Amino acid sequence: VSYRIHYFESQEGTVAEAMTPDPTWIEPEADIMTAVEVFLHRQFRRLPVLSNGRLVGLITRRDALREVYPMAQ
């Protein structure tokens, strides 16, 4: 038996078809304000962190906000 789960009535397809052809990413050495700038100008909620072309982490809008908020006080 094969079950198909539709997320919000989405169409079927492959991951490759849904991928962004030229993704935005950040390096681990970048300062937090660089990530904040990306989040402000793009509608991303997550930003891959790459080192030497390898995924080493993921930063979220919430992560960035937690780091920046204490600076505003």
Side-chain angles (χ1 to χ4, degrees), residues 28-40:
E29 297 79 23
D31 66 49
I32 194 68
M33 292 310 293
T34 301
V36 168
E37 285 291 320
V38 172
F39 289 128
L40 285 174

Side-chain angles (χ1 to χ4, degrees), residues 24-60:
T24 301
W25 52 273
I26 196 165
E27 295 179 346
E29 297 79 23
D31 66 49
I32 194 68
M33 292 310 293
T34 301
V36 168
E37 285 291 320
V38 172
F39 289 128
L40 285 174
H41 297 290
R42 307 289 292 270
Q43 294 206 356
F44 299 143
R45 293 181 187 261
R46 293 167 189 82
L47 188 59
V49 181
L50 277 74
S51 179
N52 297 320
R54 294 183 57 114
L55 181 67
V56 295
L58 190 69
I59 187 166
T60 66

